[in-house]
């Protein structure tokens, strides 16, 4: 019995020795082959011992989607959490912003009122404190014609978008008319040139195009010959119109709506031909010219909320999208940063007394089957308290063509 076991062990050890010697011989032969062939074909053996998937992935270039996903990690500045207040702090990166102080001639001091009116009563809640600030005087009229050079892009504590300091090239101007702040469009940088065409297209800017008062308020898309002499052919008219748009439709330029082609992205929209821009001014927002009416009086503009409304064609708008689109995804990180911005805490209605809020009172955390309401008693959810547009009271807002999407329409259901 023991003799048979010894025989089996001897045979097993001999098989192991044979296998090891054969593997050593194969390895030595392969190494010799590699050394002999490496001198001849080094580029062939570069990927010889790689897996097929590894070789193919190394040869493929990253797609645009992968490149975009790779860039998202460097769009925001985050911090090592050495303190709890900066653990979740996230700020959009803006290396192009000017690091110095603003132009003092274009600023005024901000006087704190804590949300109170001239009677001393609180009219806006949750306001008070905050760091000392100076208001930047932003030009929303853009009445000065002529090219202006963008000197720098600056941070404005009074708004979410960035502002641009521009200098007019007109040597006859002096004082505050030379320098001005404007709302910076997206991708506008120092060294760019912007221009305002609020007063109309200067004569001789485009050969063959005349922007006279006789042709104002008419749709440019109609037959392609509005603003041109009658003797010109259709090809000359379309060529002049194309040259005009190539000159005027640039980010930062102020152009009347009648001269902006449908589909153009715009912001800083005015509702009065002689008034300042009042719509689409927050960071990352934009509107779009939908169509020009055949009557030649109104243009249809889609706003950021999705509402489509009529605007006079003599009103102006700025080409482009508002800067700082990543502002909405920022994270302040701590409550104290809100206090630095002048925002006081917001107390829930259920935590108040019955005399202070419709949700207040009761024992414990009692909801009391109350309908959600504001502090002044207005129904807060599910009930419309204002009905503008065609569905509202008669003549409440004639300019609204389509209201902004709500409810299921907004969710795309």
């Amino acid at each position: 019995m023991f003799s048979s076991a010894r025989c089996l062990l001897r045979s097993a050890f001999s098989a192991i020795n044979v296998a090891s010697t054969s593997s050593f011989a194969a390895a030595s032969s392969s190494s010799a082959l590699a050394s002999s062939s490496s001198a001849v074909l080094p580029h062939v053996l570069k990927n010889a011992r790689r897996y097929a998937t590894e070789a193919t992935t190394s040869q493929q270039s990253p797609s645009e989607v992968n490149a975009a996903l790779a860039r998202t990690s460097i769009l925001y500045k985050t911090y090592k959490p050495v303190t709890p207040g900066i653990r979740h702090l996230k700020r959009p990166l803006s290396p192009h912003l000017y690091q110095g102080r603003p132009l003092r001639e274009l600023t005024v001091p901000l006087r704190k009122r804590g949300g109170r009116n001239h009677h001393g009563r609180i009219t806006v809640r949750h306001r008070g404190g905050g760091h000392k600030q100076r208001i930047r005087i932003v030009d929303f009229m853009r009445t000065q014609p002529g090219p202006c050079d963008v000197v720098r892009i600056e941070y404005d504590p009074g708004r979410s978008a960035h502002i641009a300091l521009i200098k007019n090239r007109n040597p006859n101007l002096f004082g505050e008319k030379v320098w001005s702040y404007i709302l910076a469009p997206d991708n506008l940088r120092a060294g760019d040139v912007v221009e305002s065409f609020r007063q109309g297209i200067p004569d001789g800017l485009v050969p063959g195009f005349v922007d006279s008062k006789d042709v104002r308020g008419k749709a440019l898309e109609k037959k392609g010959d509005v603003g041109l002499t009658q003797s010109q052919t259709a090809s000359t008219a379309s060529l002049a119109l194309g040259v005009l748009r190539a000159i005027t439709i640039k980010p930062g330029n102020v152009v009347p709506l009648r001269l902006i082609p449908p589909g153009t992205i715009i912001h800083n929209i005015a509702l009065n031909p002689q008034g300042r821009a009042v719509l689409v001014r927050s960071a990352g927002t934009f509107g779009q010219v939908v169509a020009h009416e055949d009557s030649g009086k109104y243009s249809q503009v889609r706003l950021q909320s999705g509402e489509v409304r009529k605007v006079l064609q003599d009103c102006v708008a700025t080409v482009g999208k508002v800067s700082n689109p990543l502002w909405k995804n920022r994270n302040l990180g701590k409550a104290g940063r809100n206090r630095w911005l002048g925002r006081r805490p917001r107390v829930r209605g259920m935590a108040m007394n019955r005399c202070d809020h419709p949700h207040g009172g009761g024992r414990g955390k009692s909801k009391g089957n109350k309908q959600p309401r504001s502090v002044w008693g207005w129904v807060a959810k599910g009930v419309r308290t204002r009905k503008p547009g065609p569905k509202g009271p008669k003549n409440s807002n004639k300019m609204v063509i389509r209201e902004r999407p709500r409810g299921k329409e907004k969710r795309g259901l």
Side-chain angles (χ1 to χ4, degrees):
M1 179 177 178
F2 290 104
S3 62
S4 61
R6 289 174 182 172
C7 293
L8 289 175
L9 289 174
R10 288 174 182 173
S11 61
F13 281 121
S14 62
I16 292 173
N17 292 330
V18 170
S20 62
T21 54
S22 61
S23 62
F24 177 75
S28 60
S29 62
S30 62
S31 62
L33 178 63
S35 61
S36 62
S37 60
S38 60
V40 181
L41 299 174
H43 61 280
V44 176
L45 293 177
K46 186 177 181 180
N47 295 327
R49 296 190 61 83
R50 292 186 179 180
Y51 292 103
T53 55
E54 184 181 356
T56 54
T57 53
S58 62
Q59 295 173 1
Q60 291 179 352
S61 60
S63 62
E64 295 181 359
V65 177
N66 294 335
L69 293 176
R71 286 196 303 269
T72 55
S73 60
I74 60 174
L75 294 178
Y76 298 92
K77 182 177 181 180
T78 55
Y79 300 84
K80 183 178 179 180
V82 294
T83 59
I86 62 175
R87 179 177 295 275
H88 302 289
L89 179 60
K90 186 172 69 170
R91 292 168 168 170
L93 285 174
S94 301
H96 59 279
L97 289 184
Y98 178 66
Q99 301 294 329
R101 295 177 178 269
L103 194 63
R104 193 171 181 85
E105 289 77 9
L106 298 178
T107 61
V108 293
L110 174 63
R111 306 302 182 189
K112 305 281 186 179
R113 293 184 177 86
R116 291 164 173 81
N117 60 4
H118 60 284
H119 292 298
R121 297 175 182 148
I122 296 178
T123 56
V124 182
R125 301 190 303 161
H126 316 126
R127 294 249 182 123
H131 199 280
K132 185 189 296 185
Q133 298 177 359
R134 293 187 69 87
I135 300 175
R136 277 70 167 171
I137 302 175
V138 180
D139 183 14
F140 289 108
M141 290 290 293
R142 303 285 297 276
T143 55
Q144 293 295 334
C148 300
D149 296 318
V150 179
V151 179
R152 62 198 185 203
I153 309 295
E154 296 185 10
Y155 166 79
D156 187 358
R159 65 187 71 252
S160 56
H162 297 152
I163 58 177
L165 179 65
I166 62 175
K167 181 181 180 181
N168 201 308
R169 292 182 180 178
N170 190 355
N172 298 326
L173 298 178
F174 58 91
E176 296 181 355
K177 295 183 179 180
V178 179
W179 302 91
S180 61
Y181 278 124
I182 64 170
L183 210 62
D186 200 15
N187 297 325
L188 188 73
R189 295 294 182 266
D192 295 344
V193 180
V194 296
E195 192 169 354
S196 175
F197 298 96
R198 189 181 189 116
Q199 309 297 339
I201 303 300
D203 295 337
L205 181 66
V206 178
F209 184 87
V210 179
D211 188 24
S212 63
K213 293 184 179 180
D214 299 334
V215 297
R216 284 189 181 183
K218 296 182 180 180
L220 281 175
E221 298 297 330
K222 188 177 181 181
K223 298 182 181 179
D225 58 354
V226 175
L228 302 166
T229 60
Q230 298 294 332
S231 61
Q232 289 178 322
T233 60
S235 60
T236 308
S238 60
L239 178 61
L241 191 59
V243 172
L244 173 69
R245 290 175 175 174
I247 295 175
T248 58
I249 307 303
K250 295 179 180 179
N253 286 359
V254 176
V255 187
L257 286 177
R258 66 179 182 274
L259 301 177
I260 300 178
T264 306
I265 299 299
I266 58 175
H267 67 280
N268 266 4
I269 306 170
L271 295 180
N272 187 349
Q274 286 77 37
R276 66 204 301 264
V278 292
L279 300 179
V280 192
R281 305 191 326 192
S282 182
T285 57
F286 62 91
Q288 189 176 20
V289 179
V290 177
H292 298 291
E293 295 184 356
D294 294 336
S295 61
K297 187 176 181 181
Y298 293 102
S299 296
Q300 298 180 9
V301 178
R302 180 185 293 111
L303 303 179
Q304 179 69 27
S305 63
E307 176 185 296
V308 178
R309 65 174 293 127
K310 294 191 294 185
V311 183
L312 289 171
Q313 288 190 2
D314 284 340
C315 294
V316 296
T318 307
V319 181
K321 175 183 176 182
V322 186
S323 58
N324 199 16
L326 301 177
W327 179 83
K328 63 179 181 180
N329 295 325
R330 77 202 186 287
N331 193 338
L332 297 181
K334 62 179 182 180
R337 205 172 298 275
N338 251 332
R339 301 305 298 267
W340 298 345
L341 297 175
R343 304 169 188 165
R344 299 190 69 245
R346 294 175 178 266
V347 180
R348 293 173 297 115
M350 287 181 58
M352 299 183 186
N353 294 326
R354 185 67 186 88
C355 61
D356 297 323
H357 201 280
H359 297 172
R363 300 194 176 203
K365 295 184 179 181
S366 63
K367 193 173 182 180
N369 296 326
K370 299 173 184 176
Q371 195 173 13
R373 293 178 180 271
S374 68
V375 64
W376 303 281
W378 292 85
V379 180
K381 296 180 181 179
V383 178
R384 295 187 61 178
T385 57
R386 177 177 177 269
K387 296 182 180 179
K391 296 183 181 180
K394 187 176 180 180
N395 299 330
S396 63
N397 197 344
K398 299 178 182 178
M399 299 295 108
V400 177
I401 296 177
R402 190 180 67 191
E403 295 184 355
R404 63 180 177 88
R406 291 183 175 92
K408 294 183 178 179
E409 185 182 4
K410 185 176 182 179
R411 296 192 297 269
L413 301 178

